[in-house]
Amino acid sequence: RRSGWTRAPLRSESLLWRVNIMKVGIMTLLGRTYNDNYGGVFQNLALNRHLSSLGISTYTIDLNPFYNLSRDSYLRRFIKITKRKGPRYIFNRLRHEAVNLPLYRNRDMENKRHNKFNEFRSRHISFSERAINPYNIIDGDIDYLNDFDVLIVGSDQVWNPNFNEKMLKFMLLDFPFAGVKSSYAASIGANIPIILSDLYNSNLNKFHHLSVRDDYSKMMLEKATGLKAKVVLDPVNLLSKERWMEYAKEPDLKVKGPYLFVYDLVRTREIIPALKKLVNINKVSIVNYFPYSEIEKRLYHIETNSFYTCGPDEFLWLLDNSSGVISSSYHGVVLSVLFRKNFIAILPSKKSNLSGMHSNERIIEFLKQLNLEDRALIDVEKIPGKLLYEDINWSHVLDIHSKMREE
């Protein structure tokens, strides 16, 4: 190879430093116009910028998985998911969608949000020149990927077994590639069925370096393939608060006075009583993710502002300028720590968590490492009324976090 690399032992921890790397491609669930998810954008931006800061020419592979499914394809996917997860999952999913229907946004809001995400990605993330659709690989796609010396898969749930088979094979690098195959903080997200064990095993055995972002993924991989992956920090942890604030921008959303930043994804209505208590005790307003309708605001007697249409840069500004944070998102919790914010992590209950309790474990695992596990709650009624006055020993926490980053 032109870069002069030699094949390293599988899962070598110092791979990137023993290879004369010219060009690295990051493969994750993101594209120039794909995946308007704050955590998905932040994890990729962090890994992309971190590698670039080391002098490595780094590009995120521009994923463009939009494709048209026939009715038969939809039916096959429905049957496949039903067989794998059971009818109870389908029922709970439909119930979840129905219950949260009033929280869903109109097209203008979706377009505004999408445009802001596109603008942020275009400005801050280096994407590959070629866009690739994993569901429809065309002539030249694999040749283009072979122009990279190293392909790094991760972070995010890139190896979720519930993916369409073509997407899963693509993320397992199940195609001819002459360079170095690696992963960083990849995640599984669900139990790997026995029928897919050979697919995971045959492809991941060809990786030079194998790392995942949580103990659950490590356990699932070892159970299904016998391979032992290294657990590493999510890429969001790789950048300091100062680095993150370089990407922050004051939003159009105007909030008067101090406010709580509420980034909840699954229990939006359940936490309303606790939010009302916090508002009354701490004399703050609420800036939350999902927008409540005017009818709901009157029904629940709560006044909120939604940041749903804010871009990732505005998200960072709002979090940094908040008086405190309540989040059911893993990345929301991580950024709260990096930004030294008083916070509470709301864990999905068994009723609200459709993907399994391991998503709870990911947050708990992170907080335990920092001796902050008391900040994680399932019972929303136990959210402390004086949240904003409960100081955290940030010197101790950030010292631990700094050592975790070094590892």
Side-chain angles (χ1 to χ4, degrees):
R1 295 281 289 177
R2 60 189 180 284
S3 55
W5 66 270
T6 56
R7 185 175 181 85
L10 183 64
R11 291 171 293 284
S12 165
E13 297 179 12
S14 58
L15 175 66
L16 292 180
W17 317 123
R18 296 192 291 107
V19 176
N20 178 21
I21 298 173
M22 293 180 67
K23 191 176 181 183
V24 168
I26 301 174
M27 296 181 59
T28 188
L29 305 176
L30 197 70
R32 278 189 176 87
T33 61
Y34 169 61
N35 197 0
D36 299 339
N37 177 281
Y38 295 113
V41 170
F42 290 146
Q43 60 84 13
N44 179 248
L45 171 64
L47 184 57
N48 192 304
R49 294 299 89 198
H50 180 70
L51 291 177
S52 296
S53 70
L54 299 174
I56 299 171
S57 182
T58 308
Y59 302 88
T60 296
I61 303 303
D62 184 9
L63 209 64
N64 183 19
F66 300 109
Y67 69 120
N68 295 318
L69 285 174
S70 66
R71 290 183 180 179
D72 288 344
S73 296
Y74 278 113
L75 180 60
R76 285 197 299 271
R77 291 184 69 193
F78 178 80
I79 294 173
K80 182 179 179 180
I81 292 175
T82 302
K83 285 182 178 180
R84 184 170 296 172
K85 293 200 169 188
R88 181 181 293 274
Y89 170 84
I90 301 299
F91 172 78
N92 287 338
R93 187 77 191 187
L94 292 174
R95 179 176 56 79
H96 175 78
E97 301 292 338
V99 167
N100 288 287
L101 187 61
L103 297 172
Y104 286 174
R105 289 63 57 196
N106 59 46
R107 180 169 295 181
D108 288 342
M109 294 178 69
E110 295 290 355
N111 288 339
K112 183 177 181 180
R113 173 184 170 89
H114 184 59
N115 289 336
K116 286 189 176 182
F117 268 80
N118 286 349
E119 180 184 351
F120 183 88
R121 284 185 291 245
S122 175
R123 191 165 65 247
H124 297 301
I125 298 178
S126 300
F127 283 101
S128 60
E129 294 181 359
R130 188 184 185 99
I132 296 180
N133 181 352
Y135 302 107
N136 185 28
I137 299 295
I138 61 176
D139 290 343
D141 284 348
I142 303 304
D143 288 340
Y144 178 78
L145 291 175
N146 271 275
D147 283 340
F148 290 88
D149 299 294
V150 178
L151 288 179
I152 299 177
V153 184
S155 179
D156 222 332
Q157 294 186 24
V158 287
W159 292 335
N160 192 313
N162 294 317
F163 279 162
N164 174 284
E165 184 179 2
K166 291 182 178 179
M167 173 67 89
L168 181 57
K169 285 185 174 181
F170 185 73
M171 286 298 174
L172 289 169
L173 305 188
D174 186 14
F175 52 81
F177 181 66
V180 175
K181 295 182 178 182
S182 181
S183 72
Y184 183 82
S187 184
I188 307 296
N191 292 328
I192 300 175
I194 296 177
I195 194 173
L196 293 178
S197 293
D198 287 344
L199 177 64
Y200 281 82
N201 190 37
S202 61
N203 284 293
L204 295 182
N205 257 305
K206 300 173 184 176
F207 275 56
H208 295 70
H209 179 268
L210 196 61
S211 73
V212 293
R213 71 179 180 185
D214 51 79
D215 286 332
Y216 177 83
S217 295
K218 174 183 172 69
M219 179 180 67
M220 285 298 100
L221 274 186
E222 188 167 358
K223 180 180 178 181
T225 69
L227 296 172
K228 294 184 178 181
K230 180 179 177 62
V231 178
V232 297
L233 282 178
D234 184 282
V236 170
N237 292 276
L238 298 178
L239 302 186
S240 65
K241 175 190 174 181
E242 291 69 30
R243 288 286 305 280
W244 278 116
M245 289 308 297
E246 293 175 9
Y247 303 104
K249 183 183 76 172
E250 185 173 358
D252 298 330
L253 177 68
K254 302 302 179 184
V255 185
K256 295 181 180 179
Y259 60 89
L260 280 176
F261 185 79
V262 182
Y263 184 30
D264 175 73
L265 305 175
V266 292
R267 306 181 69 180
T268 303
R269 286 197 179 90
E270 287 183 68
I271 64 175
I272 288 178
L275 293 182
K276 291 174 66 176
K277 180 174 68 174
L278 288 166
V279 167
N280 294 331
I281 293 177
N282 299 282
K283 307 303 179 186
V284 293
S285 60
I286 299 294
V287 175
N288 65 296
Y289 178 55
F290 282 122
Y292 294 109
S293 68
E294 292 303 318
I295 294 177
E296 288 175 308
K297 289 180 181 180
R298 289 195 292 269
L299 178 64
Y300 295 117
H301 304 289
I302 188 169
E303 188 63 36
T304 68
N305 293 286
S306 171
F307 65 85
Y308 183 79
T309 58
C310 289
D313 43 5
E314 297 170 314
F315 177 103
L316 294 170
W317 190 96
L318 285 169
L319 191 151
D320 182 55
N321 285 273
S322 69
S323 299
V325 178
I326 296 177
S327 179
S328 62
S329 157
Y330 171 79
H331 290 112
V333 171
V334 172
L335 287 170
S336 296
V337 171
L338 292 176
F339 284 37
R340 300 184 281 280
K341 292 293 176 181
N342 275 356
F343 71 94
I344 287 294
I346 299 298
L347 304 176
S349 63
K350 289 184 178 180
K351 182 179 179 180
S352 63
N353 184 17
L354 300 179
S355 61
M357 293 303 289
H358 62 269
S359 60
N360 282 0
E361 293 168 3
R362 181 160 61 117
I363 294 176
I364 294 173
E365 180 183 324
F366 175 72
L367 294 179
K368 277 186 175 180
Q369 292 175 300
L370 300 172
N371 297 324
L372 290 174
E373 59 265 37
D374 61 328
R375 292 272 153 174
L377 299 174
I378 292 181
D379 186 354
V380 295
E381 294 182 1
K382 293 183 178 180
I383 296 177
K386 295 186 177 181
L387 166 65
L388 304 187
Y389 305 103
E390 295 188 353
D391 291 332
I392 295 173
N393 186 347
W394 287 115
S395 177
H396 174 67
V397 169
L398 295 178
D399 183 56
I400 297 175
H401 188 264
S402 178
K403 293 177 182 177
M404 291 166 58
R405 288 177 60 189
E406 290 176 4
E407 292 178 2

